[in-house]
Tab-separated table of all heavy atoms in Angstrom:
chain	number	residue	atom	x	y	z
Y	257	ALA	N	39.578	31.077	-1.190
Y	257	ALA	CA	38.831	30.530	-2.319
Y	257	ALA	C	37.477	31.357	-2.549
Y	257	ALA	O	37.139	31.681	-3.645
Y	257	ALA	CB	38.506	29.070	-2.191
Y	258	PHE	N	36.836	31.570	-1.399
Y	258	PHE	CA	35.526	32.402	-1.469
Y	258	PHE	C	35.869	33.706	-2.060
Y	258	PHE	O	35.111	34.217	-2.959
Y	258	PHE	CB	35.005	32.516	-0.054
Y	258	PHE	CG	33.940	31.452	0.326
Y	258	PHE	CD1	34.077	30.075	0.065
Y	258	PHE	CD2	32.818	31.880	0.926
Y	258	PHE	CE1	33.216	29.190	0.395
Y	258	PHE	CE2	31.789	30.832	1.218
Y	258	PHE	CZ	32.094	29.493	1.058
Y	259	ALA	N	36.915	34.403	-1.568
Y	259	ALA	CA	37.239	35.725	-2.017
Y	259	ALA	C	37.509	35.766	-3.520
Y	259	ALA	O	37.086	36.606	-4.251
Y	259	ALA	CB	38.352	36.272	-1.211
Y	260	GLU	N	38.265	34.721	-3.979
Y	260	GLU	CA	38.681	34.639	-5.360
Y	260	GLU	C	37.439	34.530	-6.260
Y	260	GLU	O	37.452	35.020	-7.424
Y	260	GLU	CB	39.649	33.483	-5.614
Y	260	GLU	CG	41.075	33.813	-5.133
Y	260	GLU	CD	41.893	32.545	-5.008
Y	260	GLU	OE1	41.501	31.542	-5.446
Y	260	GLU	OE2	42.923	32.692	-4.290
Y	261	GLN	N	36.434	33.698	-5.810
Y	261	GLN	CA	35.284	33.450	-6.617
Y	261	GLN	C	34.135	34.351	-6.357
Y	261	GLN	O	33.073	34.138	-6.768
Y	261	GLN	CB	34.921	32.009	-6.476
Y	261	GLN	CG	35.994	31.029	-6.734
Y	261	GLN	CD	35.489	29.603	-7.027
Y	261	GLN	OE1	34.416	29.500	-7.480
Y	261	GLN	NE2	36.308	28.656	-6.678
Y	262	ASP	N	34.399	35.479	-5.654
Y	262	ASP	CA	33.359	36.451	-5.250
Y	262	ASP	C	32.180	35.787	-4.612
Y	262	ASP	O	31.056	36.223	-4.763
Y	262	ASP	CB	32.819	37.147	-6.542
Y	262	ASP	CG	33.846	38.259	-6.963
Y	262	ASP	OD1	34.800	38.410	-6.277
Y	262	ASP	OD2	33.605	38.821	-8.086
Y	263	PHE	N	32.441	34.812	-3.667
Y	263	PHE	CA	31.454	34.175	-2.881
Y	263	PHE	C	31.232	35.150	-1.652
Y	263	PHE	O	32.090	35.776	-1.142
Y	263	PHE	CB	31.785	32.833	-2.396
Y	263	PHE	CG	31.635	31.831	-3.487
Y	263	PHE	CD1	32.081	30.470	-3.209
Y	263	PHE	CD2	31.080	32.041	-4.664
Y	263	PHE	CE1	31.887	29.527	-4.204
Y	263	PHE	CE2	30.918	31.094	-5.655
Y	263	PHE	CZ	31.375	29.791	-5.438
Y	264	HIS	N	29.981	35.195	-1.194
Y	264	HIS	CA	29.569	36.050	-0.159
Y	264	HIS	C	29.835	35.618	1.325
Y	264	HIS	O	28.927	35.632	2.125
Y	264	HIS	CB	28.127	36.454	-0.274
Y	264	HIS	CG	27.905	37.317	-1.434
Y	264	HIS	ND1	26.842	38.213	-1.481
Y	264	HIS	CD2	28.609	37.557	-2.588
Y	264	HIS	CE1	26.797	38.900	-2.595
Y	264	HIS	NE2	27.867	38.562	-3.312
Y	265	GLY	N	31.032	35.008	1.617
Y	265	GLY	CA	31.285	34.677	2.981
Y	265	GLY	C	30.189	33.871	3.594
Y	265	GLY	O	29.621	32.938	3.081
Y	266	CYS	N	29.761	34.285	4.838
Y	266	CYS	CA	28.800	33.627	5.662
Y	266	CYS	C	27.482	33.436	4.903
Y	266	CYS	O	26.860	32.459	4.956
Y	266	CYS	CB	28.522	34.386	6.938
Y	266	CYS	SG	29.979	34.939	7.777
Y	267	GLU	N	27.144	34.470	4.083
Y	267	GLU	CA	25.945	34.577	3.433
Y	267	GLU	C	25.770	33.395	2.453
Y	267	GLU	O	24.683	32.940	2.117
Y	267	GLU	CB	25.800	35.851	2.677
Y	267	GLU	CG	24.364	36.208	2.149
Y	267	GLU	CD	24.449	37.472	1.214
Y	267	GLU	OE1	25.380	38.191	1.309
Y	267	GLU	OE2	23.579	37.485	0.427
Y	268	GLN	N	26.893	32.936	1.980
Y	268	GLN	CA	26.867	31.851	0.834
Y	268	GLN	C	26.087	30.690	1.307
Y	268	GLN	O	25.364	30.085	0.648
Y	268	GLN	CB	28.264	31.542	0.452
Y	268	GLN	CG	28.435	30.805	-0.747
Y	268	GLN	CD	28.068	31.619	-1.990
Y	268	GLN	OE1	28.265	32.790	-2.049
Y	268	GLN	NE2	27.358	31.014	-2.946
Y	269	CYS	N	26.325	30.297	2.676
Y	269	CYS	CA	25.601	29.083	3.218
Y	269	CYS	C	24.474	29.544	4.031
Y	269	CYS	O	23.470	28.695	4.132
Y	269	CYS	CB	26.601	28.347	4.039
Y	269	CYS	SG	28.080	27.739	3.180
Y	270	HIS	N	24.469	30.601	4.720
Y	270	HIS	CA	23.467	30.885	5.753
Y	270	HIS	C	22.384	31.914	5.236
Y	270	HIS	O	21.333	32.091	5.941
Y	270	HIS	CB	24.107	31.489	7.001
Y	270	HIS	CG	24.995	30.499	7.667
Y	270	HIS	ND1	24.572	29.542	8.530
Y	270	HIS	CD2	26.309	30.393	7.714
Y	270	HIS	CE1	25.555	28.837	9.080
Y	270	HIS	NE2	26.650	29.367	8.511
Y	271	GLY	N	22.596	32.576	4.074
Y	271	GLY	CA	21.687	33.559	3.593
Y	271	GLY	C	21.780	34.813	4.390
Y	271	GLY	O	22.755	35.052	5.149
Y	272	ASN	N	21.070	35.841	4.083
Y	272	ASN	CA	21.166	37.117	4.809
Y	272	ASN	C	20.003	37.438	5.658
Y	272	ASN	O	19.927	37.091	6.769
Y	272	ASN	CB	21.533	38.258	3.764
Y	272	ASN	CG	20.653	38.193	2.524
Y	272	ASN	OD1	19.545	37.762	2.576
Y	272	ASN	ND2	21.150	38.878	1.537
Y	273	HIS	N	19.059	38.118	5.070
Y	273	HIS	CA	17.930	38.632	5.893
Y	273	HIS	C	17.156	37.420	6.492
Y	273	HIS	O	16.661	37.481	7.647
Y	273	HIS	CB	17.028	39.478	5.154
Y	273	HIS	CG	17.670	40.740	4.638
Y	273	HIS	ND1	17.948	40.947	3.257
Y	273	HIS	CD2	18.132	41.784	5.264
Y	273	HIS	CE1	18.575	42.063	3.110
Y	273	HIS	NE2	18.721	42.644	4.294
Y	274	GLY	N	17.007	36.379	5.804
Y	274	GLY	CA	16.207	35.199	6.208
Y	274	GLY	C	17.044	34.139	6.909
Y	274	GLY	O	16.551	32.987	7.042
Y	275	VAL	N	18.134	34.530	7.539
Y	275	VAL	CA	19.053	33.513	8.068
Y	275	VAL	C	18.259	32.679	9.201
Y	275	VAL	O	17.650	33.214	10.044
Y	275	VAL	CB	20.357	34.168	8.636
Y	275	VAL	CG1	20.011	35.211	9.770
Y	275	VAL	CG2	21.245	33.197	9.222
Y	276	GLN	N	18.467	31.315	9.042
Y	276	GLN	CA	17.771	30.450	9.908
Y	276	GLN	C	18.731	29.833	10.961
Y	276	GLN	O	19.965	29.915	10.678
Y	276	GLN	CB	17.091	29.296	9.071
Y	276	GLN	CG	15.982	29.683	8.203
Y	276	GLN	CD	14.842	30.325	8.888
Y	276	GLN	OE1	14.388	29.793	9.887
Y	276	GLN	NE2	14.343	31.579	8.498
Y	277	LYS	N	18.187	29.238	11.949
Y	277	LYS	CA	19.075	28.564	12.925
Y	277	LYS	C	19.658	27.359	12.177
Y	277	LYS	O	18.939	26.597	11.555
Y	277	LYS	CB	18.068	27.999	14.066
Y	277	LYS	CG	18.858	27.505	15.277
Y	277	LYS	CD	17.932	27.160	16.316
Y	277	LYS	CE	18.498	26.319	17.513
Y	277	LYS	NZ	19.647	26.925	18.162
Y	278	PRO	N	20.998	27.329	12.169
Y	278	PRO	CA	21.638	26.254	11.433
Y	278	PRO	C	21.348	24.856	11.876
Y	278	PRO	O	21.109	24.674	13.025
Y	278	PRO	CB	23.222	26.525	11.593
Y	278	PRO	CG	23.265	27.758	12.415
Y	278	PRO	CD	21.954	28.123	12.913
Y	279	THR	N	21.175	23.968	10.970
Y	279	THR	CA	20.912	22.587	11.396
Y	279	THR	C	22.185	21.763	11.049
Y	279	THR	O	22.993	22.190	10.178
Y	279	THR	CB	19.768	22.025	10.525
Y	279	THR	OG1	20.003	22.246	9.198
Y	279	THR	CG2	18.457	22.640	11.001
Y	280	ASP	N	22.313	20.591	11.758
Y	280	ASP	CA	23.551	19.767	11.570
Y	280	ASP	C	23.664	19.193	10.145
Y	280	ASP	O	24.716	18.950	9.709
Y	280	ASP	CB	23.513	18.637	12.598
Y	280	ASP	CG	23.743	19.163	14.018
Y	280	ASP	OD1	24.411	20.137	14.106
Y	280	ASP	OD2	23.184	18.510	14.905
Y	281	ASP	N	22.446	19.020	9.465
Y	281	ASP	CA	22.575	18.539	8.071
Y	281	ASP	C	22.995	19.595	7.048
Y	281	ASP	O	23.056	19.196	5.873
Y	281	ASP	CB	21.313	17.733	7.677
Y	281	ASP	CG	20.062	18.629	7.747
Y	281	ASP	OD1	20.143	19.841	8.040
Y	281	ASP	OD2	18.934	18.089	7.426
Y	282	MET	N	23.250	20.819	7.528
Y	282	MET	CA	23.734	21.803	6.504
Y	282	MET	C	25.175	21.442	6.146
Y	282	MET	O	25.589	21.807	5.135
Y	282	MET	CB	23.765	23.176	7.100
Y	282	MET	CG	22.404	23.921	7.077
Y	282	MET	SD	22.413	25.416	7.971
Y	282	MET	CE	23.401	26.437	6.861
Y	283	VAL	N	25.845	20.721	7.077
Y	283	VAL	CA	27.162	20.219	6.726
Y	283	VAL	C	26.949	18.797	6.383
Y	283	VAL	O	25.865	18.198	6.697
Y	283	VAL	CB	28.072	20.410	8.014
Y	283	VAL	CG1	27.739	19.506	9.196
Y	283	VAL	CG2	29.593	20.141	7.567
Y	284	GLY	N	27.883	18.142	5.818
Y	284	GLY	CA	27.654	16.706	5.343
Y	284	GLY	C	27.393	16.658	3.882
Y	284	GLY	O	27.684	17.578	3.146
Y	285	VAL	N	26.696	15.451	3.406
Y	285	VAL	CA	26.477	15.239	2.038
Y	285	VAL	C	25.039	15.018	1.694
Y	285	VAL	O	24.780	14.521	0.616
Y	285	VAL	CB	27.468	14.196	1.528
Y	285	VAL	CG1	28.853	14.589	1.580
Y	285	VAL	CG2	27.236	12.883	2.312
Y	286	GLY	N	24.125	15.261	2.703
Y	286	GLY	CA	22.722	14.971	2.446
Y	286	GLY	C	22.017	15.988	1.593
Y	286	GLY	O	22.702	16.957	1.076
Y	287	LYS	N	20.694	15.930	1.473
Y	287	LYS	CA	20.002	16.748	0.592
Y	287	LYS	C	19.994	18.206	1.048
Y	287	LYS	O	19.881	19.163	0.225
Y	287	LYS	CB	18.538	16.271	0.269
Y	287	LYS	CG	17.592	16.280	1.405
Y	287	LYS	CD	16.274	15.872	0.850
Y	287	LYS	CE	15.353	15.394	1.936
Y	287	LYS	NZ	14.679	16.125	2.785
Y	288	ASN	N	20.139	18.472	2.388
Y	288	ASN	CA	20.173	19.793	2.878
Y	288	ASN	C	21.625	20.432	2.990
Y	288	ASN	O	21.761	21.484	3.473
Y	288	ASN	CB	19.523	19.895	4.286
Y	288	ASN	CG	18.004	19.627	4.116
Y	288	ASN	OD1	17.395	20.025	3.123
Y	288	ASN	ND2	17.534	18.937	5.129
Y	289	SER	N	22.564	19.537	2.515
Y	289	SER	CA	23.942	20.025	2.679
Y	289	SER	C	24.283	21.217	1.807
Y	289	SER	O	23.840	21.298	0.699
Y	289	SER	CB	24.856	18.808	2.364
Y	289	SER	OG	26.178	19.269	2.113
Y	290	LYS	N	25.077	22.045	2.422
Y	290	LYS	CA	25.582	23.248	1.624
Y	290	LYS	C	26.955	22.854	1.026
Y	290	LYS	O	27.369	23.529	0.021
Y	290	LYS	CB	25.755	24.506	2.529
Y	290	LYS	CG	24.486	24.959	3.163
Y	290	LYS	CD	23.621	25.610	2.197
Y	290	LYS	CE	22.242	25.935	2.746
Y	290	LYS	NZ	21.290	26.431	1.762
Y	291	CYS	N	27.671	21.902	1.545
Y	291	CYS	CA	28.913	21.527	1.127
Y	291	CYS	C	28.915	21.044	-0.298
Y	291	CYS	O	29.779	21.252	-1.151
Y	291	CYS	CB	29.586	20.532	2.031
Y	291	CYS	SG	29.504	20.973	3.804
Y	292	VAL	N	27.843	20.161	-0.579
Y	292	VAL	CA	27.716	19.578	-1.878
Y	292	VAL	C	27.409	20.536	-3.009
Y	292	VAL	O	27.519	20.243	-4.179
Y	292	VAL	CB	26.768	18.372	-1.979
Y	292	VAL	CG1	27.279	17.198	-1.075
Y	292	VAL	CG2	25.429	18.749	-1.515
Y	293	ASP	N	27.148	21.784	-2.661
Y	293	ASP	CA	26.928	22.815	-3.613
Y	293	ASP	C	28.188	22.948	-4.483
Y	293	ASP	O	28.177	23.300	-5.634
Y	293	ASP	CB	26.534	24.092	-3.024
Y	293	ASP	CG	25.174	24.137	-2.462
Y	293	ASP	OD1	24.409	23.110	-2.736
Y	293	ASP	OD2	24.737	25.057	-1.863
Y	294	CYS	N	29.319	22.792	-3.808
Y	294	CYS	CA	30.586	22.986	-4.486
Y	294	CYS	C	31.472	21.729	-4.622
Y	294	CYS	O	32.230	21.563	-5.548
Y	294	CYS	CB	31.496	24.077	-3.734
Y	294	CYS	SG	30.632	25.609	-3.592
Y	295	HIS	N	31.254	20.811	-3.597
Y	295	HIS	CA	32.156	19.650	-3.536
Y	295	HIS	C	31.510	18.453	-4.164
Y	295	HIS	O	30.333	18.144	-3.840
Y	295	HIS	CB	32.500	19.315	-2.047
Y	295	HIS	CG	33.455	20.397	-1.468
Y	295	HIS	ND1	34.757	20.453	-1.758
Y	295	HIS	CD2	33.137	21.402	-0.614
Y	295	HIS	CE1	35.285	21.561	-1.131
Y	295	HIS	NE2	34.273	22.094	-0.409
Y	296	ASP	N	32.283	17.698	-4.906
Y	296	ASP	CA	31.766	16.524	-5.587
Y	296	ASP	C	32.174	15.227	-4.817
Y	296	ASP	O	33.243	15.317	-4.106
Y	296	ASP	CB	32.294	16.447	-7.050
Y	296	ASP	CG	31.744	17.552	-7.844
Y	296	ASP	OD1	30.557	17.903	-7.683
Y	296	ASP	OD2	32.531	18.196	-8.683
Y	297	LYS	N	31.456	14.196	-5.007
Y	297	LYS	CA	31.797	12.940	-4.334
Y	297	LYS	C	33.169	12.558	-4.617
Y	297	LYS	O	33.716	12.535	-5.670
Y	297	LYS	CB	30.858	11.855	-4.884
Y	297	LYS	CG	30.792	10.690	-3.946
Y	297	LYS	CD	29.660	9.689	-4.283
Y	297	LYS	CE	29.664	8.593	-3.229
Y	297	LYS	NZ	28.563	7.686	-3.505
Y	298	GLY	N	33.830	12.220	-3.498
Y	298	GLY	CA	35.247	11.728	-3.609
Y	298	GLY	C	36.262	12.768	-3.394
Y	298	GLY	O	37.429	12.441	-2.998
Y	299	ASP	N	35.960	14.074	-3.466
Y	299	ASP	CA	37.019	15.082	-3.232
Y	299	ASP	C	37.198	15.280	-1.740
Y	299	ASP	O	36.400	14.887	-0.907
Y	299	ASP	CB	36.765	16.380	-4.064
Y	299	ASP	CG	35.699	17.288	-3.481
Y	299	ASP	OD1	35.314	16.980	-2.316
Y	299	ASP	OD2	35.234	18.143	-4.157
Y	300	VAL	N	38.345	15.929	-1.403
Y	300	VAL	CA	38.722	16.099	-0.050
Y	300	VAL	C	37.624	16.733	0.810
Y	300	VAL	O	37.298	16.343	1.871
Y	300	VAL	CB	40.045	16.890	0.124
Y	300	VAL	CG1	40.554	16.944	1.552
Y	300	VAL	CG2	41.026	16.284	-0.802
Y	301	GLY	N	37.048	17.853	0.263
Y	301	GLY	CA	36.011	18.604	1.008
Y	301	GLY	C	34.802	17.698	1.199
Y	301	GLY	O	34.191	17.769	2.315
Y	302	TYR	N	34.461	16.902	0.266
Y	302	TYR	CA	33.245	15.941	0.411
Y	302	TYR	C	33.527	15.004	1.580
Y	302	TYR	O	32.647	14.769	2.438
Y	302	TYR	CB	33.090	15.196	-0.900
Y	302	TYR	CG	31.797	14.365	-1.040
Y	302	TYR	CD1	30.661	14.988	-1.680
Y	302	TYR	CD2	31.705	13.132	-0.521
Y	302	TYR	CE1	29.538	14.234	-1.765
Y	302	TYR	CE2	30.564	12.416	-0.659
Y	302	TYR	CZ	29.448	12.917	-1.289
Y	302	TYR	OH	28.327	12.218	-1.363
Y	303	VAL	N	34.666	14.350	1.620
Y	303	VAL	CA	34.990	13.364	2.593
Y	303	VAL	C	35.028	14.078	3.987
Y	303	VAL	O	34.480	13.605	5.001
Y	303	VAL	CB	36.375	12.669	2.362
Y	303	VAL	CG1	36.814	11.856	3.478
Y	303	VAL	CG2	36.362	11.971	1.071
Y	304	ALA	N	35.580	15.272	4.043
Y	304	ALA	CA	35.719	16.062	5.220
Y	304	ALA	C	34.231	16.363	5.734
Y	304	ALA	O	33.926	16.202	6.977
Y	304	ALA	CB	36.466	17.338	5.064
Y	305	ALA	N	33.371	16.837	4.842
Y	305	ALA	CA	32.047	17.114	5.222
Y	305	ALA	C	31.300	15.987	5.807
Y	305	ALA	O	30.564	16.065	6.864
Y	305	ALA	CB	31.299	17.700	4.013
Y	306	GLU	N	31.538	14.770	5.137
Y	306	GLU	CA	30.861	13.582	5.580
Y	306	GLU	C	31.245	13.213	7.032
Y	306	GLU	O	30.457	12.897	7.931
Y	306	GLU	CB	31.231	12.438	4.649
Y	306	GLU	CG	30.168	11.420	4.402
Y	306	GLU	CD	30.520	10.452	3.354
Y	306	GLU	OE1	31.676	10.524	2.840
Y	306	GLU	OE2	29.603	9.737	2.909
Y	307	LYS	N	32.563	13.336	7.285
Y	307	LYS	CA	33.102	12.989	8.552
Y	307	LYS	C	32.655	13.958	9.663
Y	307	LYS	O	32.278	13.513	10.760
Y	307	LYS	CB	34.689	12.973	8.452
Y	307	LYS	CG	35.425	12.895	9.698
Y	307	LYS	CD	35.606	11.480	10.119
Y	307	LYS	CE	36.480	11.357	11.425
Y	307	LYS	NZ	36.158	10.134	12.114
Y	308	ILE	N	32.646	15.237	9.320
Y	308	ILE	CA	32.280	16.272	10.321
Y	308	ILE	C	30.772	16.061	10.696
Y	308	ILE	O	30.404	16.001	11.865
Y	308	ILE	CB	32.472	17.662	9.733
Y	308	ILE	CG1	33.967	18.026	9.695
Y	308	ILE	CG2	31.793	18.683	10.618
Y	308	ILE	CD1	34.299	19.255	8.914
Y	309	GLU	N	30.012	15.837	9.742
Y	309	GLU	CA	28.514	15.655	10.064
Y	309	GLU	C	28.279	14.471	10.893
Y	309	GLU	O	27.592	14.395	11.923
Y	309	GLU	CB	27.774	15.487	8.759
Y	309	GLU	CG	26.189	15.551	9.105
Y	309	GLU	CD	25.307	14.876	8.048
Y	309	GLU	OE1	25.857	14.260	7.059
Y	309	GLU	OE2	24.074	15.034	8.170
Y	310	ALA	N	28.963	13.304	10.551
Y	310	ALA	CA	28.817	12.087	11.321
Y	310	ALA	C	29.191	12.272	12.768
Y	310	ALA	O	28.593	11.802	13.773
Y	310	ALA	CB	29.694	10.928	10.744
Y	311	GLU	N	30.366	12.984	12.955
Y	311	GLU	CA	30.835	13.231	14.323
Y	311	GLU	C	29.861	14.018	15.158
Y	311	GLU	O	29.457	13.693	16.340
Y	311	GLU	CB	32.173	13.972	14.286
Y	311	GLU	CG	33.385	13.220	13.946
Y	311	GLU	CD	33.737	12.226	15.054
Y	311	GLU	OE1	33.584	12.528	16.244
Y	311	GLU	OE2	34.145	11.083	14.753
Y	312	ILE	N	29.331	15.059	14.521
Y	312	ILE	CA	28.416	15.988	15.253
Y	312	ILE	C	27.084	15.301	15.514
Y	312	ILE	O	26.495	15.385	16.667
Y	312	ILE	CB	28.176	17.279	14.447
Y	312	ILE	CG1	29.526	18.069	14.569
Y	312	ILE	CG2	27.112	18.142	15.061
Y	312	ILE	CD1	29.486	19.381	13.768
Side-chain angles (χ1 to χ4, degrees):
Chain Y
F258 265 46
E260 281 162 17
Q261 300 197 32
D262 283 354
F263 282 174
H264 287 206
C266 316
E267 192 191 339
Q268 196 66 36
C269 301
H270 295 280
N272 46 22
H273 300 110
V275 59
Q276 294 298 311
K277 192 175 166 57
T279 52
D280 290 330
D281 58 2
M282 278 173 72
V283 69
V285 293
K287 66 177 163 75
N288 293 326
S289 161
K290 298 286 174 190
C291 311
V292 291
D293 289 352
C294 303
H295 293 284
D296 294 322
K297 197 168 184 179
D299 75 15
V300 185
Y302 189 95
V303 175
E306 214 170 11
K307 171 81 177 154
I308 289 172
E309 189 201 10
E311 281 292 322
I312 290 177

